[in-house]
Amino acid sequence: MLDKCERLQWDPDADLDWSVAPRRFDRDTEMAVVQYFTDMAGIERLAAQLFAVQRDNTTDPTLRAIFQSFVVDEERHAIVAERLARHYDVHHYRPYRTNPHLVRFAAAFEHVLHHVSPEVANAYITSGEILLDIALLRSLDDFVDDDMSHQAMRLINRDESRHIAMDHYMVGYYGSEEYARWEASQPAKPLLEQLRSALVVLAFMWKARPFLKAVFFEPMDMVDPSGRRLIEAFRRIQLVGLMGEAQGRPFNRFLRLLQDTFNHPIAGPFLGPLVVRLMGVDPRVIKRLYTEEDERRVRRMSAQELADETLAMKGAAA
Ligand SMILES: [Fe+2]
Ligand SMILES: [Fe+2]
């Protein structure tokens, strides 16, 4: 993997041809497209932050180098997204700024990252990347349907294939016996500290709803009106949480408890709105999106097999 990370680096100036003329859109569409790319840059920088945490959390030199290369990848994606925004800003109808919900969320995110375990940080990045790679970027690229966007997304997607593979690998690692042994050997955190961390995470989850709505659900409704890819991506996230090695982990159990509460015939109608607020996502994706057969199948799968399946779904490159 490290060899691949080094070999497949690229340069936005040398490897993309920015001289192609941008597709012309009507006024509203142009403004929407430029705003999407502006926000995409902010999301890519969140991903960079998360991989920096993964890098700092590991002592294994190979893993460190892999995650460091991912930080570089995500920063490159942010720069490319900013350039795409400028490329499509043909008429300068208005100035564009990162969505304020995203700005606020990014600040809260920085804070929470110091309170969550590396495992929870990994759950965030895995879910975030599945949403981004399977749903948002593919749909955005189809919607823009233009050579410049296709060129950039092809290379971004190639980087994302490595990220997704590692995300799954780490989900498997945090669910492994090796990690359980390491965890058991660590001194227990004082109760007060545990409580403080839990509260920080809950407060953070509470803030995620307006952010996800503004930068994910609303744009998705525009670029993927059928909601097909949105459901596909959330179904995938639910399935990754069921993977043999990961299903018993506390954070996954907590998320499933929230989901079961939402879907419960008696508790659901009362506690459902609270669950929606806490999980930060639309009710349509808190529903159980997989069948019993899916569940049985995924419980038997390894991280590698699941990664291959996710990669196939996103249209893997290299
Ligand atoms: Fe990225
Ligand atoms: Fe990524």
Side-chain angles (χ1 to χ4, degrees):
M1 176 54 80
L2 180 56
D3 172 58
K4 239 185 186 181
C5 294
E6 286 164 354
R7 201 162 26 87
L8 295 177
Q9 288 297 307
W10 52 282
D11 173 0
D13 282 311
D15 297 312
L16 297 174
D17 175 11
W18 294 94
S19 69
V20 294
R23 181 178 160 193
R24 297 303 175 101
F25 296 106
D26 64 49
R27 184 187 170 94
D28 286 349
T29 310
E30 178 179 309
M31 287 196 293
V33 165
V34 178
Q35 188 61 49
Y36 295 154
F37 283 123
T38 305
D39 291 340
M40 176 183 155
I43 300 174
E44 297 289 350
R45 291 212 164 91
L46 284 180
Q49 250 181 313
L50 268 169
F51 281 129
V53 170
Q54 305 264 70
R55 175 198 62 203
D56 297 342
N57 274 333
T58 177
T59 48
D60 182 287
T62 310
L63 270 183
R64 274 186 83 90
I66 290 173
F67 286 130
Q68 172 55 27
S69 82
F70 289 0
V71 173
V72 173
D73 293 344
E74 300 296 15
E75 180 56 34
R76 179 172 52 242
H77 301 171
I79 289 168
V80 169
E82 282 163 352
R83 285 184 67 167
L84 286 169
R86 285 204 297 278
H87 188 76
Y88 291 107
D89 185 13
V90 175
H91 296 95
H92 307 294
Y93 290 124
R94 64 173 178 87
Y96 297 88
R97 272 182 214 92
T98 311
N99 186 295
H101 290 299
L102 202 160
V103 175
R104 272 197 290 277
F105 180 82
F109 198 55
E110 174 77 59
H111 180 62
V112 80
L113 283 179
H114 299 289
H115 286 275
V116 299
S117 67
E119 179 187 0
V120 173
N122 186 60
Y124 274 108
I125 189 113
T126 307
S127 309
E129 296 219 287
I130 289 177
L131 293 184
L132 209 61
D133 298 340
I134 291 189
L136 190 59
L137 296 189
R138 278 164 86 205
S139 303
L140 180 56
D141 191 34
D142 286 352
F143 179 79
V144 173
D145 193 17
D146 181 55
D147 180 37
M148 192 66 247
S149 170
H150 292 330
Q151 282 186 56
M153 292 295 190
R154 192 181 61 79
L155 287 177
I156 288 175
N157 196 30
R158 196 176 74 184
D159 294 342
E160 293 301 336
S161 293
R162 302 193 296 278
H163 302 181
I164 289 270
M166 282 305 292
D167 293 340
H168 285 67
Y169 170 82
M170 293 306 286
V171 171
Y173 167 70
Y174 288 122
S176 69
E177 278 177 27
E178 183 191 345
Y179 182 71
R181 269 199 302 278
W182 177 85
E183 210 179 21
S185 72
Q186 295 300 302
K189 274 193 187 166
L191 195 64
L192 209 63
E193 200 182 310
Q194 283 186 38
L195 204 66
R196 203 176 119 76
S197 292
L199 285 175
V200 170
V201 173
L202 285 179
F204 167 75
M205 288 175 79
W206 197 259
K207 282 186 202 142
R209 176 83 177 132
F211 155 75
L212 284 171
K213 216 166 135 67
V215 305
F216 185 72
F217 286 100
E218 284 171 5
M220 277 308 292
D221 285 340
M222 172 115 178
V223 295
D224 172 37
S226 72
R228 185 176 59 85
R229 282 191 177 143
L230 181 96
I231 297 297
E232 198 184 0
F234 275 99
R235 176 170 172 270
R236 199 70 206 154
I237 290 173
Q238 292 184 5
L239 288 176
V240 172
L242 289 174
M243 173 166 80
E245 295 134 310
Q247 53 178 298
R249 300 295 304 165
F251 190 61
N252 281 329
R253 287 215 311 265
F254 170 63
L255 291 179
R256 267 204 306 282
L257 174 73
L258 287 178
Q259 191 190 20
D260 290 344
T261 306
F262 181 83
N263 292 314
H264 192 274
I266 298 165
F270 294 104
L271 297 173
L274 185 71
V275 171
V276 169
R277 194 65 179 80
L278 208 54
M279 291 186 83
V281 295
D282 281 11
R284 57 188 155 150
V285 299
I286 304 179
K287 282 197 318 216
R288 188 164 295 212
L289 300 172
Y290 53 86
T291 63
E292 279 175 18
E293 172 51 34
D294 292 330
E295 187 173 348
R296 271 196 298 276
R297 191 173 60 85
V298 166
R299 283 194 195 282
R300 289 192 302 266
M301 285 169 84
S302 67
Q304 175 73 56
E305 288 166 336
L306 209 63
D308 289 344
E309 217 180 71
T310 308
L311 287 169
M313 281 175 68
K314 85 170 190 62

